[in-house]
Amino acid sequence: AQTVTQSQPEMSVQEAETVTLSCTYDTSESNYYLFWYKQPPSRQMILVIRQEAYKQQNATENRFSVNFQKAAKSFSLKISDSQLGDTAMYFCAFGETSGSRLTFGEGTQLTVNP
Amino acid sequence: NAGVMQNPRHLVRRRGQEARLRCSPMKGHSHVYWYRQLPEEGLKFMVYLQKENIIDESGMPKERFSAEFPKEGPSILRIQQVVRGDSAAYFCASSRFGSYEQYFGPGTRLTVT
Protein backbone atom coordinates (compact mmCIF):
# COMPACT_ATOMS: atom_id res chain seq x y z
CA ALA A 1 0.00 0.00 0.00
CA GLN A 2 1.14 3.52 -0.71
CA THR A 3 2.00 5.83 2.17
CA VAL A 4 2.50 9.59 2.24
CA THR A 5 4.42 11.30 5.02
CA GLN A 6 4.49 14.98 5.89
CA SER A 7 6.97 15.40 8.71
CA GLN A 8 6.21 19.04 9.52
CA PRO A 9 2.90 19.37 11.40
CA GLU A 10 3.24 23.17 11.59
CA MET A 11 5.28 25.86 9.87
CA SER A 12 5.28 29.62 9.83
CA VAL A 13 6.73 32.20 7.48
CA GLN A 14 6.84 35.96 7.23
CA GLU A 15 4.84 37.63 4.50
CA ALA A 16 6.80 37.97 1.21
CA GLU A 17 9.31 35.28 2.21
CA THR A 18 9.75 31.78 0.78
CA VAL A 19 8.80 28.56 2.52
CA THR A 20 9.21 24.89 1.60
CA LEU A 21 6.90 22.12 2.76
CA SER A 22 8.21 18.55 2.74
CA CYS A 23 6.55 15.36 1.57
CA THR A 24 7.86 11.84 1.09
CA TYR A 25 5.99 8.82 -0.21
CA ASP A 26 6.46 5.13 -0.62
CA THR A 27 5.36 3.13 -3.65
CA SER A 28 6.49 0.31 -5.88
CA GLU A 29 4.77 1.81 -8.91
CA SER A 30 6.78 3.45 -11.67
CA ASN A 31 4.03 5.72 -12.97
CA TYR A 32 1.88 7.81 -10.68
CA TYR A 33 0.77 11.34 -9.89
CA LEU A 34 1.50 13.67 -7.00
CA PHE A 35 -0.52 16.61 -5.80
CA TRP A 36 -0.53 19.41 -3.28
CA TYR A 37 -3.91 20.49 -1.97
CA LYS A 38 -4.63 23.53 0.18
CA GLN A 39 -7.35 23.56 2.84
CA PRO A 40 -8.00 27.06 4.21
CA PRO A 41 -10.19 27.69 7.27
CA SER A 42 -13.26 27.34 5.02
CA ARG A 43 -12.30 23.62 4.80
CA GLN A 44 -12.60 23.62 0.98
CA MET A 45 -9.96 21.42 -0.65
CA ILE A 46 -8.20 23.38 -3.39
CA LEU A 47 -5.82 21.78 -5.90
CA VAL A 48 -2.59 23.80 -5.85
CA ILE A 49 -0.25 21.90 -8.15
CA ARG A 50 0.19 18.49 -9.74
CA GLN A 51 3.13 16.45 -11.04
CA GLU A 52 3.21 13.39 -13.27
CA ALA A 53 5.96 10.99 -12.21
CA TYR A 54 7.08 10.35 -15.79
CA LYS A 55 7.86 14.02 -16.29
CA GLN A 56 11.32 15.05 -15.15
CA GLN A 57 10.56 18.77 -15.24
CA ASN A 58 9.30 20.18 -11.96
CA ALA A 59 5.81 21.66 -12.11
CA THR A 60 5.22 25.36 -11.42
CA GLU A 61 2.05 27.37 -10.94
CA ASN A 62 2.73 31.07 -10.42
CA ARG A 63 4.23 31.38 -6.91
CA PHE A 64 4.02 27.63 -6.28
CA SER A 65 6.63 25.15 -7.47
CA VAL A 66 7.67 21.64 -6.59
CA ASN A 67 10.96 19.84 -6.20
CA PHE A 68 10.26 16.30 -7.38
CA GLN A 69 13.01 13.78 -6.62
CA LYS A 70 11.74 10.44 -7.95
CA ALA A 71 14.63 8.31 -6.74
CA ALA A 72 14.36 9.75 -3.25
CA LYS A 73 10.53 9.61 -3.39
CA SER A 74 10.39 13.21 -2.31
CA PHE A 75 7.90 15.87 -3.42
CA SER A 76 8.32 19.24 -1.70
CA LEU A 77 6.28 22.39 -2.27
CA LYS A 78 7.91 25.80 -2.44
CA ILE A 79 5.80 28.91 -1.95
CA SER A 80 7.50 32.13 -3.02
CA ASP A 81 6.48 35.64 -1.97
CA SER A 82 4.17 34.23 0.71
CA GLN A 83 0.85 36.02 1.16
CA LEU A 84 -1.52 36.12 4.12
CA GLY A 85 -4.06 34.20 2.03
CA ASP A 86 -1.63 31.28 1.83
CA THR A 87 -2.39 30.50 5.48
CA ALA A 88 -3.95 27.05 5.35
CA MET A 89 -3.42 23.34 5.90
CA TYR A 90 -1.46 21.83 3.03
CA PHE A 91 -1.87 18.18 2.08
CA CYS A 92 0.41 16.14 -0.12
CA ALA A 93 -1.41 13.39 -2.05
CA PHE A 94 -0.45 10.38 -4.17
CA GLY A 95 -2.49 8.93 -7.02
CA GLU A 96 -1.61 5.61 -8.65
CA THR A 97 -3.25 5.92 -12.05
CA SER A 98 -6.01 7.94 -13.55
CA GLY A 99 -9.31 7.09 -11.98
CA SER A 100 -7.92 5.78 -8.72
CA ARG A 101 -8.01 6.84 -5.11
CA LEU A 102 -5.79 9.51 -3.63
CA THR A 103 -3.68 8.78 -0.56
CA PHE A 104 -3.13 11.86 1.58
CA GLY A 105 -0.50 12.82 4.11
CA GLU A 106 -1.47 14.13 7.52
CA GLY A 107 -0.99 17.75 6.50
CA THR A 108 1.18 20.75 7.36
CA GLN A 109 -0.45 23.79 8.92
CA LEU A 110 1.17 26.86 7.36
CA THR A 111 0.77 30.27 8.96
CA VAL A 112 1.87 33.40 7.10
CA ASN A 113 2.62 36.23 9.51
CA PRO A 114 2.32 39.91 8.59
CA ASN B 1 -19.23 25.97 -14.74
CA ALA B 2 -20.42 24.96 -11.29
CA GLY B 3 -18.03 23.02 -9.14
CA VAL B 4 -18.70 19.89 -7.15
CA MET B 5 -21.75 20.43 -4.97
CA GLN B 6 -22.43 18.76 -1.67
CA ASN B 7 -25.42 19.03 0.59
CA PRO B 8 -26.14 19.51 3.30
CA ARG B 9 -23.08 21.44 4.42
CA HIS B 10 -23.79 20.65 8.04
CA LEU B 11 -25.78 17.70 9.37
CA VAL B 12 -26.58 16.88 12.97
CA ARG B 13 -27.87 13.42 13.83
CA ARG B 14 -28.57 11.65 17.11
CA ARG B 15 -26.98 8.30 17.73
CA GLY B 16 -28.90 5.57 15.94
CA GLN B 17 -30.33 7.81 13.20
CA GLU B 18 -29.48 7.65 9.52
CA ALA B 19 -27.36 10.20 7.67
CA ARG B 20 -27.63 10.81 3.92
CA LEU B 21 -24.97 12.90 2.23
CA ARG B 22 -25.37 14.04 -1.37
CA CYS B 23 -22.82 14.91 -4.01
CA SER B 24 -23.35 16.31 -7.50
CA PRO B 25 -20.18 16.07 -9.61
CA MET B 26 -18.92 18.76 -11.93
CA LYS B 27 -20.54 18.86 -15.34
CA GLY B 28 -18.95 16.31 -17.61
CA HIS B 29 -17.45 14.31 -14.75
CA SER B 30 -18.44 10.66 -14.53
CA HIS B 31 -16.31 9.54 -11.58
CA VAL B 32 -17.11 10.24 -7.94
CA TYR B 33 -14.97 9.63 -4.87
CA TRP B 34 -15.87 9.91 -1.20
CA TYR B 35 -13.30 10.73 1.49
CA ARG B 36 -13.61 11.16 5.24
CA GLN B 37 -11.62 13.60 7.35
CA LEU B 38 -11.58 13.02 11.09
CA PRO B 39 -10.62 15.97 13.31
CA GLU B 40 -6.93 16.88 13.05
CA GLU B 41 -6.30 14.23 10.39
CA GLY B 42 -5.82 13.98 6.65
CA LEU B 43 -8.43 12.71 4.22
CA LYS B 44 -9.00 8.96 4.00
CA PHE B 45 -10.43 7.31 0.90
CA MET B 46 -13.76 5.55 1.30
CA VAL B 47 -15.26 4.63 -2.07
CA TYR B 48 -14.93 5.26 -5.82
CA LEU B 49 -17.99 5.11 -8.08
CA GLN B 50 -18.96 5.55 -11.67
CA LYS B 51 -22.55 5.81 -12.84
CA GLU B 52 -24.41 2.73 -11.53
CA ASN B 53 -21.15 1.02 -10.55
CA ILE B 54 -19.04 0.78 -7.44
CA ILE B 55 -15.45 0.51 -8.66
CA ASP B 56 -13.51 0.44 -5.37
CA GLU B 57 -15.06 0.33 -1.91
CA SER B 58 -12.00 -0.90 -0.07
CA GLY B 59 -12.02 2.11 2.25
CA MET B 60 -15.62 1.76 3.36
CA PRO B 61 -16.40 0.36 6.80
CA LYS B 62 -17.97 -3.07 6.34
CA GLU B 63 -21.15 -2.25 8.22
CA ARG B 64 -23.61 0.66 8.26
CA PHE B 65 -22.00 2.52 5.31
CA SER B 66 -23.16 2.35 1.71
CA ALA B 67 -22.78 4.49 -1.41
CA GLU B 68 -24.48 4.76 -4.75
CA PHE B 69 -24.24 6.83 -7.92
CA PRO B 70 -27.43 6.28 -9.89
CA LYS B 71 -27.90 6.90 -13.60
CA GLU B 72 -29.82 10.06 -12.76
CA GLY B 73 -29.24 12.28 -9.77
CA PRO B 74 -26.48 12.81 -7.24
CA SER B 75 -24.23 10.31 -5.56
CA ILE B 76 -25.41 9.36 -2.07
CA LEU B 77 -23.32 8.28 0.90
CA ARG B 78 -25.56 6.65 3.47
CA ILE B 79 -24.64 5.96 7.07
CA GLN B 80 -27.09 3.89 9.06
CA GLN B 81 -27.36 3.88 12.85
CA VAL B 82 -24.75 6.61 13.28
CA VAL B 83 -22.38 6.57 16.24
CA ARG B 84 -20.27 9.37 17.78
CA GLY B 85 -17.20 8.09 15.93
CA ASP B 86 -18.89 8.90 12.60
CA SER B 87 -18.58 12.61 13.38
CA ALA B 88 -16.28 13.94 10.67
CA ALA B 89 -16.13 15.98 7.49
CA TYR B 90 -17.12 13.97 4.42
CA PHE B 91 -15.73 15.18 1.12
CA CYS B 92 -16.82 14.24 -2.35
CA ALA B 93 -14.54 14.65 -5.37
CA SER B 94 -15.16 14.14 -9.06
CA SER B 95 -13.09 13.65 -12.17
CA ARG B 96 -13.51 13.15 -15.90
CA PHE B 97 -13.13 9.71 -17.43
CA GLY B 98 -9.41 9.05 -17.93
CA SER B 99 -8.30 12.08 -15.91
CA TYR B 100 -6.15 11.94 -12.81
CA GLU B 101 -7.28 15.29 -11.42
CA GLN B 102 -9.91 15.20 -8.71
CA TYR B 103 -11.89 18.30 -7.81
CA PHE B 104 -13.40 18.49 -4.36
CA GLY B 105 -16.70 19.75 -3.05
CA PRO B 106 -16.97 21.89 0.09
CA GLY B 107 -17.66 18.89 2.30
CA THR B 108 -20.45 17.90 4.67
CA ARG B 109 -19.70 18.20 8.36
CA LEU B 110 -21.55 15.46 10.22
CA THR B 111 -22.01 15.80 13.96
CA VAL B 112 -23.45 12.91 15.92
CA THR B 113 -24.85 13.83 19.31
Side-chain angles (χ1 to χ4, degrees):
Chain A
Q2 283 74 26
T3 59
V4 177
T5 302
Q6 293 179 248
S7 58
Q8 305 152 314
E10 297 179 357
M11 293 193 71
S12 62
V13 63
Q14 292 299 122
E15 196 175 5
E17 293 188 347
T18 295
V19 64
T20 299
L21 309 183
S22 301
C23 173
T24 59
Y25 58 93
D26 188 25
T27 183
S28 58
E29 301 294 324
S30 59
N31 195 24
Y32 47 87
Y33 306 92
L34 295 162
F35 308 86
W36 280 97
Y37 282 87
K38 168 185 176 181
Q39 187 177 45
S42 67
R43 312 282 301 184
Q44 174 78 51
M45 291 289 288
I46 302 166
L47 178 61
V48 174
I49 198 165
R50 85 280 286 166
Q51 174 84 41
E52 294 93 336
Y54 64 87
K55 289 187 178 178
Q56 293 186 343
Q57 186 172 5
N58 289 323
T60 62
E61 290 285 344
N62 301 313
R63 298 183 295 108
F64 299 87
S65 62
V66 299
N67 184 4
F68 173 49
Q69 302 289 329
K70 191 172 185 179
K73 295 181 181 175
S74 170
F75 182 61
S76 60
L77 174 69
K78 185 171 85 170
I79 306 174
S80 304
D81 186 25
S82 297
Q83 300 176 0
L84 296 178
D86 295 334
T87 291
M89 181 73 85
Y90 286 81
F91 291 100
C92 178
F94 174 99
E96 225 176 88
T97 58
S98 62
S100 73
R101 66 169 71 185
L102 294 178
T103 301
F104 285 85
E106 294 301 306
T108 297
Q109 175 64 49
L110 175 67
T111 301
V112 180
N113 299 309
Chain B
N1 189 12
V4 178
M5 300 180 68
Q6 289 187 249
N7 66 81
R9 294 292 306 276
H10 300 275
L11 182 62
V12 179
R13 285 287 178 265
R14 291 199 183 105
R15 279 178 295 172
Q17 291 184 321
E18 178 179 287
R20 285 194 179 219
L21 289 62
R22 295 176 185 78
C23 169
S24 296
M26 287 179 68
K27 186 176 181 180
H29 287 196
S30 57
H31 297 202
V32 166
Y33 310 80
W34 285 94
Y35 295 84
R36 178 166 64 176
Q37 185 178 30
L38 296 170
E40 309 301 324
E41 293 188 10
L43 279 71
K44 298 290 193 291
F45 168 79
M46 299 181 74
V47 63
Y48 162 36
L49 310 105
Q50 295 177 15
K51 288 281 188 182
E52 300 183 285
N53 276 311
I54 297 175
I55 306 302
D56 179 0
E57 57 181 345
S58 58
M60 286 275 272
K62 292 290 184 281
E63 297 179 352
R64 301 187 298 107
F65 286 72
S66 63
E68 63 177 4
F69 189 15
K71 186 176 181 181
E72 301 290 337
S75 175
I76 306 287
L77 179 67
R78 181 183 180 204
I79 310 172
Q80 295 178 292
Q81 299 176 327
V82 296
V83 300
R84 288 240 172 95
D86 296 333
S87 294
Y90 292 82
F91 287 92
C92 168
S94 72
S95 69
R96 292 183 184 277
F97 174 76
S99 172
Y100 59 84
E101 292 187 0
Q102 296 183 21
Y103 293 88
F104 283 79
T108 294
R109 182 171 299 279
L110 172 66
T111 302
V112 180
T113 62

